[in-house]
Amino acid sequence: MTIQLTMESGKVYISDDVVAIIAGSAALDCYGLIGMASRKQLKDGIAELLGRENLARGVEIRKVNDQVQIDLYIIVSYGTKISEVAHNIQVKVKYVLNEIVGIHVDVVNVFVQGVRVIS
């Protein structure tokens, strides 16, 4: 599924993977976030930490009734307030996708898959 934007001079089609990578990169800029977690793989209750090359695996893009919904699966740092980290990620992802891509995001859901201690 792609996202279609209509401009003055034509249409632009943006792949979900591109939107997912931009959303994941925006989320990684937020304080308290260790990284993205795989949305499909949860082994023994331990979430797999994804590197920068696999950001799209921790993000799911849905288009429901002309609304764009984004699910982010994250791992947060121990000692941070999880609700504040999640709120900052929601605000940042909405802002970046609106300003860079021009997509109005209606919902950003954040799923905390784990907490890690930074050494």
Side-chain angles (χ1 to χ4, degrees):
M1 179 174 77
T2 59
I3 295 175
Q4 176 184 335
L5 300 174
T6 304
M7 305 294 193
E8 298 170 358
S9 56
K11 295 180 181 177
V12 177
Y13 297 93
I14 303 171
S15 168
D16 283 350
D17 288 337
V18 172
V19 176
I21 290 170
I22 293 171
S25 296
L28 283 179
D29 288 341
C30 294
Y31 176 78
L33 181 69
I34 299 272
M36 304 301 288
S38 177
R39 67 181 184 259
K40 303 230 186 258
Q41 189 176 15
L42 193 65
K43 296 179 182 177
D44 300 326
I46 300 172
E48 175 190 359
L49 185 64
L50 300 174
R52 283 200 173 266
E53 64 277 354
N54 295 325
L55 287 178
R57 284 181 43 204
V59 181
E60 186 176 339
I61 311 293
R62 288 190 314 272
K63 194 168 183 182
V64 180
N65 300 331
D66 293 333
Q67 292 184 343
V68 177
Q69 299 178 357
I70 298 177
D71 294 340
L72 297 167
Y73 297 83
I74 65 169
I75 298 174
V76 297
S77 173
Y78 179 79
T80 58
K81 190 172 181 180
I82 295 174
S83 62
E84 281 298 315
V85 173
H87 180 262
N88 290 340
I89 290 170
Q90 289 172 326
V91 170
K92 175 86 173 193
V93 168
K94 277 186 176 184
Y95 174 78
V96 167
L97 287 176
N98 192 24
E99 292 299 315
I100 292 178
V101 184
I103 297 173
H104 174 70
V105 178
D106 297 294
V107 177
V108 176
N109 298 314
V110 177
F111 297 94
V112 179
Q113 298 290 87
V115 177
R116 297 266 170 99
V117 177
I118 305 174
S119 55

